[in-house]
Amino acid sequence: MDATHRMVCQEDFFNPLTSMAMQVSGILVISHFFHLVLKAFGQPGPIAQIFAGLVLGPSGLSNIPKVREFFFQSISADFYEIFGLFCRIIFMFLIGLETDIPYIKRNLRAVSALAYGGVVFGFISGLGGSFFLYRQLQERDFKFTFVFIIMLILAYTASPVVIRLAAELKFDTSDIGRMAIVSSLVNEMSCLLIFNFIVAFNSGKVLKYGSYCIFLSFSVVIINKYLANWFNKRNQNQKYLKNPEFFFILSLLVGSSMFFEWANYNSLMNCFLIGLLFPKEGKTARTLVHKLTYSVHNFILPIYFGYIGFRVNASFLNSWNNVLIVVVMVLLSVASKITGTLAACQYLQIPLKEAFLLGFLLNLKGHADLLFIGSSSKTLILWSPKAYNLLLISIVVNTIISGPIVAFLLRKDERSFGNKRTALEIIHSADEELSLLACVYGPRHMPAILSLISALSGSQKAPTNPYLMHLIELVQKRRTNVSYHELEDHELSDDEDYGGNDVLGIHDAMDAFTAETRILIHLCKAVSSFTSLYEDVCNIAEDLRVSIILLPFHKHQRIDGKMDSGKEGVRTTNQKILRHAPCSVGVIVSRGIDGVPGFSQLLGSETVQHVATLFFCGPDDREAVAWSRRIAAHPRINLTVIRFLPASSSSISSPSVYNSQKDNAADGSNAASDGVDGVLRALSRLENGNGTNEVDNVFLSDFYNRDVSSGQVAYVEKYVNNAAETVAALRDIGDLYSLFIVGKGGRGHSPLTTGICDWEECPELGTVGDLLASSDFNINGSVLVIQQHRHALKQGSYRS
């Protein structure tokens, strides 16, 4: 009786679910160990996870009979197949959800050239090498499908591996990283499309089941559009969707994918397409990203990559002939990818070192190519164990070789692949994409920050990639006598409670902004004490490779017009960010009439906003003008650049005024031309004058040629003798503009501003900025204070 009981218990323990759970646990534990070891050598997580699978699989511990008997049961194959299917469904949907469609549209030519360059040369290499491989693998009969699958394997790039590798090495937000990610997606979807077509034609059911699958995919896309809109409007007082709503959306995804698999099609394209076309704005998309990102990045993908190594059986490398097959496959793959990518980069005029990096990135494998030699190809060809394992080994070796090479190339020339757009002055074209990080401490700061994001987005020709970061002070939690089981449902959410109801206000404002402007904002959050909160901001700004950081001023305007101080921690955090920021920084001071900031009315109304940029001298003022170039492209903003010059310069240059065509459309072209010529002649004379910064004049001359001559910007010169006259001139224009843009400092001992600092309250705003933000200085406009990034700040980095 006891023996029978023990046998039953043993059979219950050694079942496929138990062995799969042990595999998952083993892969996670070993991969974390390898990650800790390899991270010191700069190697990314996916490589460590593949190594963990190799250690646990037939190439390692599973050589032990007892371990092999536990892990490799005859009835467990179906469980592993289903588990892998659900993993692929979830992370391909998330990849589609996070894909930047506007970036693809802007760079379709470049990413297509990179993707198809590798595909073409991969097909050529596969066509030539398949004859040799066929003879060596000794397949029973020569089929077109054998040649076709070898060509696909060599041409293919695994987008999940590329995405995780780029994220681990922190270059996924760089130009080269984004191009590699999108190119890998184009490559993968193209290879999957070809593979599905071949499967469909081979089965003879392309018209029947193929049309059903296409109809089902687009039906789910349309249903999701209406579902997301409906869920966004329900339960306005909740941060995220409820779990039943979340699982209902996933059920549509899983159900459609299962139909694809039943019809002998691969469901990866379906999952990616549904995620790609899912509405990106609102609470529904935030919930999906929030709930899926952590589980996918920390559990699903590590386990999936681990299973790639777990399936490798190195015992098949028992002869030189088999080793030669693997070597030939790896060499063909590397050579075709590098050659195809170099040819595409030559056409696109991409530098050689970036071309080599792209080539090795696009040589990463280990996703759909496993399906090409696995269950998805069973209707095309039946692989022998030798052929299957040798092709699998070549796929894994490709990734194990390419991953460390990519890490080495990045580490070797880290400065070249770093963020080069740390200031707008060095961005020569106003049509280049602008990445910015806007920080808010609460909903009160949202109107001014969102108006600035809208203004900096300029026209449709100037793409913007904005990130919004909610800065939350970490305070010690209060003790409570409420037991866990007595908490309400919303208190059991997996989302932290930090931020309180401020999160709802921020979400609502952001959703309204996106609905009006069609500008999608990426939301992130930092929870820390005020002493270290600046580190989170600077680290995120460096990782995201943003060009500017927007900060709200620590004071806010009361209804009587006076400025009321907020938390001192907000001020100290802003000061630390200004000192350590890896890019240019702007501090927005919200001011207006009766406590209502006028510039915030840029959103929600058709009112034209008048903006003034105050130029004295120095790098911060040049950066302020560079910001203004982006703002001037906004259709509802009239920009005027006001340059303050010493009165002694009036003998060198007569006062010049050139009005924007937005202000005076009736001005003739001859008058406009004369105005510009007069300004440029004045600048030419000023360059030869005493005490005038030649760099400023060269910069402004270029600015006039590009922007003033087209009538986009108005230009005014004001001549003053000292700081008192400067203050008087600022008072005269205080009621004319809804936003004043001014550089923080860097002017040296300018006679035009020396003396203003005698009543300075906030040095972080600079001399002129502090004056404009003072309660004693009555103006009707908000103030944007700009500090340009300097390399000296980067040398005193906040990172060790």
Side-chain angles (χ1 to χ4, degrees):
M1 190 70 167
D2 293 338
T4 305
H5 180 70
R6 284 196 300 270
M7 185 179 299
V8 172
C9 291
Q10 188 177 17
E11 290 177 356
D12 289 341
F13 181 74
F14 287 95
N15 62 70
L17 289 177
T18 305
S19 63
M20 187 173 66
M22 292 298 293
Q23 285 180 31
V24 168
S25 303
I27 288 173
L28 287 175
V29 172
I30 299 174
S31 66
H32 279 299
F33 170 75
F34 273 107
H35 188 51
L36 290 175
V37 174
L38 296 177
K39 190 176 182 180
F41 300 96
Q43 299 306 312
I47 304 301
Q49 290 145 13
I50 292 175
F51 273 121
L54 288 170
V55 169
L56 197 61
S59 303
L61 295 177
S62 291
N63 274 320
I64 303 172
K66 289 292 184 181
V67 178
R68 183 170 60 250
E69 180 183 350
F70 176 71
F71 280 150
F72 292 90
Q73 301 176 35
S74 59
I75 59 175
S76 62
D78 291 338
F79 285 85
Y80 300 152
E81 195 69 32
I82 293 174
F83 180 76
L85 172 62
F86 280 103
C87 287
R88 292 192 296 269
I89 289 173
I90 296 300
F91 68 67
M92 285 306 297
F93 172 71
L94 181 63
I95 288 173
L97 194 63
E98 294 181 331
T99 299
D100 189 352
I101 297 178
Y103 178 83
I104 296 177
K105 292 180 178 178
R106 293 194 303 271
N107 300 276
L108 185 60
R109 168 179 163 270
V111 298
S112 298
L114 287 171
Y116 294 125
V119 168
V120 170
F121 280 86
F123 278 173
I124 295 173
S125 299
L127 184 62
S130 58
F131 296 95
F132 166 79
L133 293 171
Y134 172 73
R135 290 196 300 269
Q136 296 298 321
L137 291 173
Q138 299 176 355
E139 289 298 296
R140 286 171 294 181
D141 54 347
F142 184 75
K143 293 184 177 181
F144 164 75
T145 52
F146 178 86
V147 179
F148 161 70
I149 290 178
I150 296 298
M151 292 167 62
L152 273 183
I153 291 174
L154 295 179
Y156 174 74
T157 300
S159 63
V161 185
V162 174
I163 291 170
R164 286 312 303 156
L165 197 75
E168 289 272 352
L169 297 175
K170 297 186 182 299
F171 73 101
D172 54 329
T173 55
S174 65
D175 290 339
I176 197 76
R178 296 171 74 186
M179 192 173 296
I181 289 172
V182 176
S183 297
S184 68
L185 287 170
V186 173
N187 176 293
E188 182 166 45
M189 293 303 116
S190 300
C191 290
L192 283 170
L193 184 62
I194 296 173
F195 181 75
N196 281 335
F197 265 119
I198 298 298
V199 171
F201 280 108
N202 184 72
S203 64
K205 299 177 180 178
V206 62
L207 295 178
K208 182 178 179 181
Y209 290 142
S211 58
Y212 289 166
C213 289
I214 294 173
F215 175 77
L216 180 61
S217 287
F218 283 98
S219 296
V220 173
V221 168
I222 295 172
I223 292 172
N224 281 339
K225 179 180 179 181
Y226 288 99
L227 268 181
N229 186 42
W230 183 48
F231 286 157
N232 288 340
K233 296 176 180 178
R234 295 181 73 240
N235 302 319
Q236 296 290 334
N237 59 339
Q238 289 186 341
K239 303 175 188 177
Y240 300 105
L241 298 184
K242 293 180 178 179
N243 287 334
E245 298 168 338
F246 169 73
F247 285 115
F248 182 75
I249 293 176
L250 288 187
S251 67
L252 293 175
L253 171 70
V254 173
S256 61
S257 300
M258 297 303 289
F259 181 83
F260 270 73
E261 298 291 334
W262 175 81
N264 288 328
Y265 288 98
N266 191 282
S267 62
L268 293 181
M269 289 188 65
N270 173 66
C271 301
F272 177 76
L273 181 67
I274 291 175
L276 183 70
L277 299 181
F278 196 92
K280 303 296 193 298
E281 65 279 354
K283 179 168 54 179
T284 305
R286 275 196 302 272
T287 303
L288 291 170
V289 172
H290 170 75
K291 289 185 178 291
L292 294 179
T293 299
Y294 182 82
S295 58
V296 167
H297 292 171
N298 293 278
F299 295 102
I300 294 178
L301 282 179
I303 294 169
Y304 189 82
F305 293 146
Y307 265 113
I308 296 174
F310 183 82
R311 295 162 63 177
V312 172
N313 191 348
S315 63
F316 280 88
L317 298 175
N318 53 5
S319 67
W320 287 108
N321 182 62
N322 291 351
V323 173
L324 178 64
I325 293 173
V326 174
V327 171
V328 169
M329 280 291 293
V330 172
L331 290 178
L332 285 175
S333 178
V334 173
S336 60
K337 285 296 182 183
I338 295 296
T339 305
T341 306
L342 286 177
C345 290
Q346 180 71 21
Y347 168 70
L348 298 172
Q349 299 182 345
I350 296 176
L352 188 62
K353 57 185 176 183
E354 295 183 5
F356 273 105
L357 179 65
L358 283 168
F360 283 105
L361 273 170
L362 297 179
N363 190 48
L364 293 169
K365 302 183 185 298
H367 183 218
D369 43 2
L370 302 178
L371 303 177
F372 298 159
I373 61 173
S375 60
S376 294
S377 64
K378 62 185 178 182
T379 59
L380 301 176
I381 188 171
L382 295 176
W383 297 97
S384 65
K386 174 185 174 181
Y388 171 80
N389 281 279
L390 291 180
L391 291 176
L392 177 61
I393 291 172
S394 67
I395 289 171
V396 173
V397 170
N398 254 309
T399 300
I400 291 178
I401 290 175
S402 299
I405 291 177
V406 169
F408 171 76
L409 292 175
L410 286 171
R411 190 170 62 253
K412 180 183 177 182
D413 202 1
E414 186 176 358
R415 180 171 296 181
S416 297
F417 294 110
N419 185 17
K420 300 175 183 178
R421 300 188 182 100
T422 57
L424 292 195
E425 183 183 351
I426 62 178
I427 300 178
H428 300 292
S429 174
D431 294 337
E432 289 187 38
E433 184 183 58
L434 173 64
S435 293
L436 62 93
L437 177 64
C439 301
V440 295
Y441 296 90
R444 172 183 290 164
H445 304 134
M446 291 295 289
I449 289 292
L450 293 178
S451 295
L452 268 180
I453 293 176
S454 175
L456 286 166
S457 299
S459 64
Q460 296 294 330
K461 297 180 180 180
T464 305
N465 187 26
Y467 296 87
L468 182 70
M469 193 173 190
H470 184 194
L471 306 182
I472 303 170
E473 180 189 8
L474 177 62
V475 295
Q476 187 175 2
K477 286 190 174 182
R478 294 175 295 178
R479 294 183 177 272
T480 177
N481 295 324
V482 179
S483 301
Y484 180 82
H485 67 276
E486 296 178 300
L487 294 174
E488 299 294 336
D489 289 340
H490 67 276
E491 296 177 303
L492 298 175
S493 172
D494 56 357
D495 181 45
E496 301 94 337
D497 277 339
Y498 296 116
N501 292 327
D502 286 353
V503 177
L504 290 174
I506 291 173
H507 287 180
D508 291 342
M510 194 172 66
D511 293 342
F513 172 81
T514 301
E516 179 181 344
T517 63
R518 312 309 302 171
I519 299 173
L520 185 64
I521 299 179
H522 309 281
L523 183 64
C524 54
K525 179 169 58 176
V527 182
S528 182
S529 62
F530 278 135
T531 56
S532 60
L533 194 56
Y534 78 98
E535 294 180 356
D536 296 331
V537 176
C538 294
N539 289 337
I540 294 267
E542 187 170 359
D543 292 341
L544 295 177
R545 286 175 165 82
V546 298
S547 300
I548 58 177
I549 298 175
L550 295 177
L551 297 173
F553 192 45
H554 68 279
K555 294 183 179 181
H556 60 272
Q557 189 178 30
R558 300 186 314 214
I559 195 170
D560 60 358
K562 300 295 183 182
M563 300 298 293
D564 192 13
S565 296
K567 291 184 177 180
E568 186 63 24
V570 174
R571 180 182 185 183
T572 56
T573 298
N574 288 353
Q575 291 172 337
K576 291 177 180 178
I577 293 173
L578 285 165
R579 284 197 298 269
H580 301 288
C583 60
S584 294
V585 182
V587 181
I588 180 68
V589 184
S590 295
R591 302 197 64 178
I593 302 174
D594 297 329
V596 179
F599 187 68
S600 299
Q601 296 177 2
L602 180 66
L603 299 174
S605 70
E606 296 298 325
T607 306
V608 175
Q609 301 292 315
H610 297 276
V611 178
T613 300
L614 311 179
F615 189 93
F616 293 87
C617 62
D620 289 345
D621 284 351
R622 293 197 299 272
E623 184 71 3
V625 174
W627 286 46
S628 302
R629 289 192 64 219
R630 302 278 306 200
I631 293 176
H634 195 283
R636 288 194 282 114
I637 289 182
N638 284 334
L639 176 68
T640 302
V641 175
I642 304 175
R643 187 178 190 186
F644 288 81
L645 292 167
S648 58
S649 301
S650 59
S651 59
I652 303 175
S653 168
S654 58
S656 302
V657 176
Y658 180 63
N659 291 324
S660 167
Q661 289 179 0
K662 290 183 182 180
D663 288 329
N664 191 358
D667 290 346
S669 60
N670 293 333
S673 177
D674 293 341
V676 175
D677 292 341
V679 169
L680 295 178
R681 285 194 300 270
L683 281 172
S684 177
R685 290 192 294 270
L686 280 170
E687 288 177 8
N688 300 321
N690 296 326
T692 303
N693 192 330
E694 183 177 352
V695 177
D696 292 337
N697 286 296
V698 171
F699 173 79
L700 284 178
S701 295
D702 181 62
F703 174 71
Y704 293 141
N705 287 326
R706 289 185 297 179
D707 298 278
V708 177
S709 60
S710 64
Q712 188 75 14
V713 179
Y715 174 79
V716 176
E717 288 179 356
K718 287 187 177 292
Y719 295 91
V720 292
N721 288 302
N722 49 44
E725 293 186 9
T726 300
V727 173
L730 292 175
R731 290 188 186 278
D732 291 339
I733 62 175
D735 297 332
L736 302 180
Y737 302 97
S738 60
L739 177 67
F740 294 89
I741 306 175
V742 63
K744 176 187 172 184
R747 309 181 182 97
H749 297 287
S750 172
L752 307 185
T753 57
T754 301
I756 295 180
C757 60
D758 291 345
W759 54 82
E760 194 172 42
E761 296 180 11
C762 301
E764 65 269 21
L765 297 181
T767 305
V768 179
D770 179 66
L771 172 69
L772 296 174
S774 173
S775 298
D776 298 327
F777 196 83
N778 294 323
I779 59 175
N780 294 332
S782 299
V783 182
L784 177 61
V785 181
I786 308 297
Q787 174 187 274
Q788 187 183 65
H789 175 253
R790 297 173 178 82
H791 292 291
L793 292 177
K794 197 170 186 178
Q795 293 173 357
S797 179
Y798 48 88
R799 285 183 172 176
S800 57

